[in-house]
Amino acid sequence: GIIRSLPRALTTRGPGTLPPFFAAAFGDRRGRDTAVLAHLNPAAGIDALLTDMARATGIPLALGMSQIADGTARRAGVHPPDGVIDSDRFFADLDRELGRTGSPPLIVVDHEYR
């Protein structure tokens, strides 16, 4: 693993200006090409989350699982997480777990229409 990948890691460019933990979507909206980028807000005071991968992956997983355990996230069939998880509750719970008041917003969403 690590030893085999080391030569390539040393010669591969880094992420440049891409934000940590982001999602990008491209498609057509009402006949116009559209791009949407959602990313964590650097002004949201979440440095502790971004420097600890156990927290960065474990906390969101636990918050999603809590909705499954209490029955909030139940829907027959197979669905992606965003199809069953209550996103308003998820982000409110995430703010609470991170000791945030909800301001500034945790997520920034940028749209580009062409």
Side-chain angles (χ1 to χ4, degrees):
I2 292 175
I3 293 176
R4 281 193 321 233
S5 65
L6 189 58
R8 185 171 181 177
L10 294 173
T11 60
T12 304
R13 290 183 23 206
T17 60
L18 291 173
F21 296 98
F22 73 95
F26 304 92
D28 179 85
R29 181 177 170 112
R30 297 185 182 132
R32 293 170 56 190
D33 287 335
T34 304
V36 178
L37 175 68
H39 59 91
L40 293 174
N41 185 353
I46 53 169
D47 294 337
L49 179 66
L50 298 178
T51 58
D52 183 347
M53 286 308 294
R55 286 176 49 94
T57 57
I59 290 173
L61 174 64
L63 296 176
M65 289 303 297
S66 70
Q67 289 190 31
I68 292 170
D70 71 14
T72 302
R74 278 225 175 110
R75 195 167 146 200
V78 178
H79 305 280
D82 55 323
V84 294
I85 299 292
D86 177 340
S87 61
D88 291 334
R89 175 181 164 191
F90 176 85
F91 286 111
D93 290 349
L94 184 58
D95 277 338
R96 187 189 72 248
E97 288 299 318
L98 298 177
R100 291 177 20 87
T101 63
S103 181
L106 183 62
I107 305 294
V108 175
V109 179
D110 299 315
H111 299 85
E112 181 181 306
Y113 303 101
R114 296 181 204 172

